[in-house]
Amino acid sequence: MTQTPVIQAQNLDLTFQTNDGPIHALKGVDLEIGKGEFVSFIGPSGCGKTTFLRVIAALEHPTGGTITVNGMTPDEARQKRAYGYVFQAAGLYPWRTIAGNIKLPLEIMGFSRAEQEERVKNVLQLVDLEGFGGKFPWQLSGGMQQRASIARALAFDADILLMDEPFGALDEIVRDHLNEQLLALWARTEKTIGFVTHSIPEAVYLSTKIVVMSPRPGRITDVIDSPLPRERPLDIRDTPEFLEVAHRVREGLRAGHAYD
Amino acid sequence: MSRALPVLTVVAAILALWYAAAVWMNATWTRDQAERAGVELSVSDILTDTMAQERPVLPAPHQVVTELWNTTARKKVTSKRSLVFHGWITLSATLLGFAIGTGAGILLAIGIVHNRAMDMSVMPWAIASQTIPILAIAPMIIVVLNSLGIQGLVPKAIISAYLSFFPVVVGMVKGLRSPDAMQLDLMRTYNASGRESFWKLRLPSSMPYLFTSLKIGIAASLVGAIVGELPTGAIRGLGARMLTGSYYGQTIQIWSALFAAAILAACLVGIVGVLQRVTLKRMGMDQ
């Protein structure tokens, strides 16, 4: 790769000290993520996929190894507002309208009022929620709320979008729809996306790179560069290439479980 | 109507019990009087008399209602015999005390949430302050403030604040801590300062807790203001009405002051409740 990677982790360790003794959440994690990639992290509970995302976001701090985000430490990157983070729950403030929720990071980051309005309009369009700016969160469905939370993460135009099982709580039909929209959004914005998921089809459908992880200690067992084209209609999931990648992911997950 | 029926049933039962108790408790005096006068009394004579004594042990409900009516609607509000006049004296102390108590409670809660040392040190004192009987501490507050030349409204308001700050502290600490880890993490990803997290997340999240505390706080404020009037030998205010009533055995006056205080408390709590509903509805938090 000629460009410097957006995210570079070398021999990353993270050990939580708990009352039941240390827990190795991450052990010897090496990974490079290039600009514009869509990287999925998949693995069973406790494999450290969310922890790794949180380390990138400087919400957790590694106990060993190095990690850089845009060539800086994660803390510096956070202070420079290098990423938008989408949590599993939409976490919209009930006392703010959808537009008000999207303005939240913009207010904190000191955008002018006119610019706030402009950006809210743009991201609402991006997540297909035009005309919903004046609604309150409880007036929207779960899927729409999650789209609003993605809009909130996109509003300040960070190059990196970190998503921690954003569609985990939604039903399959809504999820398919949102996956399709997310790909379209990624194509338009050319952001680098880190995406944590439990779902093999979701990971294969979305990603240019799939990172398979296994627990105790949390580590990477396989990194799969997807051969699928960037342009992906939903029915690509019935092609042999897709099934082959899915099969390899499944193998990787099984290998990680071999000895427990 | 289906909701009013059980309430009315309970009210009717209480009234019946009250009348029965009034007859039973006041009958002794009626019989003593009759014995001294050497008169034989029929049952209906006893019943009539126990309903209409001037200083009954337990005044009958209609006597209290009549007294309430006479001392509110039929007296000028500037008259020393008007319950409106006395109620206003107590209400002004209540409102000032409530404002002081709420302000102090919110400030303490902010300190407790943001400062570890305050978290460890203030809460035990706040709890200890509420274990001291207010009747014991009220005269001391009055005496100390009096020696500083402060009299009248302020000492009563301070006693009232002393009672009302506590529920506000407890509720606000819980409210300011109510945002979950995810919401706090979200603020961190924006690199938000503590001040921004406070204004944009913690304070709005605490509103339902604050209003619940305010309801308890305003009722406590009224109790504080009344208690503040008792040990001073005050001549104005609902507390003073109760006190003078007890000096002269004016039980009807005591009961009517009691009821005036209860009605006042209900109104105050009701007003806070309306504010709560309106505010939370506007904030989209009225579930």
Side-chain angles (χ1 to χ4, degrees):
Chain A
M1 199 176 288
T2 51
Q3 268 181 314
T4 50
V6 173
I7 293 159
Q8 188 166 35
Q10 275 168 345
N11 203 23
L12 202 66
D13 282 339
L14 198 159
T15 309
F16 291 114
Q17 298 298 337
T18 69
N19 290 335
D20 300 330
I23 290 176
H24 298 280
L26 293 172
K27 192 156 177 63
V29 169
D30 289 299
L31 189 71
E32 280 189 4
I33 299 176
K35 187 166 170 40
E37 280 195 280
F38 196 128
V39 183
S40 283
F41 300 89
I42 189 165
S45 301
C47 72
K49 52 193 194 299
T50 294
T51 307
F52 186 62
L53 211 65
R54 290 174 63 85
V55 169
I56 297 172
L59 294 174
E60 305 285 354
H61 292 91
T63 46
T66 58
I67 178 162
T68 60
V69 177
N70 283 344
M72 299 171 275
T73 67
D75 273 311
E76 288 165 346
R78 176 165 62 94
Q79 277 151 30
K80 292 232 161 87
R81 283 124 180 186
Y83 64 84
Y85 202 106
V86 180
F87 293 87
Q88 182 163 11
L92 301 170
Y93 291 177
W95 57 87
R96 283 178 176 242
T97 61
I98 298 303
N101 269 286
I102 296 170
K103 276 182 199 163
L104 174 71
L106 303 176
E107 288 168 9
I108 293 170
M109 295 174 191
F111 286 87
S112 75
R113 211 155 268 228
E115 178 129 9
Q116 288 180 20
E117 297 294 339
E118 181 69 27
R119 279 170 180 262
V120 167
K121 206 171 132 242
N122 289 342
V123 289
L124 277 178
Q125 200 167 23
L126 218 50
V127 297
D128 220 1
L129 279 179
E130 296 117 307
F132 286 93
K135 297 265 190 251
F136 279 95
W138 57 269
Q139 294 172 300
L140 269 59
S141 69
M144 288 164 99
Q145 288 189 22
Q146 194 54 280
R147 261 147 63 196
S149 93
I150 293 170
R152 182 178 58 186
L154 290 170
F156 48 98
D157 213 17
D159 327 323
I160 306 171
L161 189 57
L162 301 173
M163 309 177 88
D164 184 4
E165 293 191 51
F167 309 139
L170 304 174
D171 69 62
E172 187 97 17
I173 300 163
V174 175
R175 199 172 178 153
D176 275 354
H177 182 60
L178 289 185
N179 281 340
E180 223 179 343
Q181 283 194 319
L182 181 60
L183 273 186
L185 192 143
W186 171 63
R188 260 196 283 176
T189 56
E190 298 179 329
K191 295 201 182 297
T192 309
I193 299 183
F195 189 93
V196 167
T197 180
H198 268 120
S199 155
I200 296 173
E202 188 172 65
V204 179
Y205 176 65
L206 293 172
S207 322
T208 57
K209 184 185 268 183
I210 302 155
V211 178
V212 183
M213 300 182 74
S214 73
R216 287 177 292 273
R219 66 202 182 283
I220 294 174
T221 47
D222 198 4
V223 177
I224 303 160
D225 284 303
S226 174
L228 301 176
R230 285 179 86 103
E231 191 75 20
R232 298 173 187 184
L234 266 179
D235 51 20
I236 202 171
R237 294 184 296 186
D238 301 322
T239 63
E241 291 88 353
F242 185 96
L243 297 173
E244 199 180 309
V245 180
H247 179 72
R248 197 175 146 192
V249 173
R250 201 168 288 119
E251 288 292 301
L253 288 172
R254 197 168 295 156
H257 268 296
Y259 52 86
D260 63 16
Chain B
M1 200 54 215
S2 59
R3 275 172 68 194
L5 195 64
V7 176
L8 290 176
T9 312
V10 172
V11 170
I14 291 174
L15 282 177
L17 265 176
W18 189 348
Y19 271 112
V23 172
W24 182 60
M25 293 170 98
N26 301 337
T28 319
W29 193 80
T30 308
R31 280 201 209 94
D32 285 353
Q33 287 298 100
E35 205 169 305
R36 254 173 245 165
V39 188
E40 277 295 306
L41 285 178
S42 68
V43 175
S44 69
D45 287 339
I46 292 180
L47 278 181
T48 322
D49 189 71
T50 52
M51 295 290 108
Q53 291 175 7
E54 204 178 316
R55 291 174 187 183
V57 179
L58 180 66
H62 68 267
Q63 287 180 293
V64 176
V65 172
T66 311
E67 169 79 3
L68 266 176
W69 177 252
N70 287 339
T71 51
T72 49
R74 300 180 64 182
K75 287 272 186 311
K76 275 204 291 184
V77 291
T78 47
S79 158
K80 289 234 169 99
R81 297 195 163 195
S82 166
L83 265 185
V84 179
F85 168 79
H86 291 285
W88 168 248
I89 300 289
T90 303
L91 180 64
S92 55
T94 301
L95 293 180
L96 181 61
F98 179 63
I100 298 172
T102 303
I106 291 174
L107 287 179
L108 279 175
I110 293 170
I112 287 170
V113 170
H114 286 87
N115 184 309
R116 224 185 117 63
M118 274 187 83
D119 185 16
M120 310 284 278
S121 58
V122 173
M123 211 42 165
W125 283 106
I127 293 167
S129 75
Q130 301 303 302
T131 63
I132 302 166
I134 188 67
L135 271 172
I137 208 164
M140 288 192 277
I141 292 175
I142 304 261
V143 168
V144 167
L145 288 178
N146 193 38
S147 74
L148 296 172
I150 304 169
Q151 290 175 335
L153 184 66
V154 176
K156 286 198 287 177
I158 286 176
I159 293 163
S160 158
Y162 184 90
L163 283 188
S164 65
F165 89 96
F166 184 67
V168 177
V169 171
V170 174
M172 273 307 268
V173 166
K174 194 159 169 52
L176 293 173
R177 287 194 172 138
S178 65
D180 59 25
M182 195 201 85
Q183 287 176 312
L184 292 170
D185 276 346
L186 183 67
M187 290 309 259
R188 282 191 69 197
T189 69
Y190 302 148
N191 201 31
S193 65
R195 182 182 293 263
E196 284 159 339
S197 295
F198 174 78
W199 286 110
K200 294 190 190 297
L201 174 60
R202 288 188 190 273
L203 191 63
S205 307
S206 70
M207 282 305 126
Y209 298 86
L210 174 64
F211 276 107
T212 308
S213 299
L214 291 185
K215 277 188 186 170
I216 305 168
I218 195 138
S221 283
L222 183 66
V223 172
I226 291 172
V227 168
E229 286 162 354
L230 295 181
T232 50
I235 48 167
R236 301 187 302 175
L238 292 176
R241 273 305 264 193
M242 293 177 203
L243 204 64
T244 51
S246 79
Y247 285 159
Y248 303 113
Q250 299 282 1
T251 45
I252 299 176
Q253 181 185 323
I254 300 178
W255 280 87
S256 65
L258 258 178
F259 270 82
I263 292 163
L264 190 56
C267 291
L268 291 174
V269 172
I271 290 168
V272 175
V274 169
L275 284 178
Q276 173 179 36
R277 224 167 315 139
V278 171
T279 311
L280 295 189
K281 201 179 172 79
R282 282 192 60 181
M283 289 177 76
M285 292 165 91
D286 60 336
Q287 279 86 26

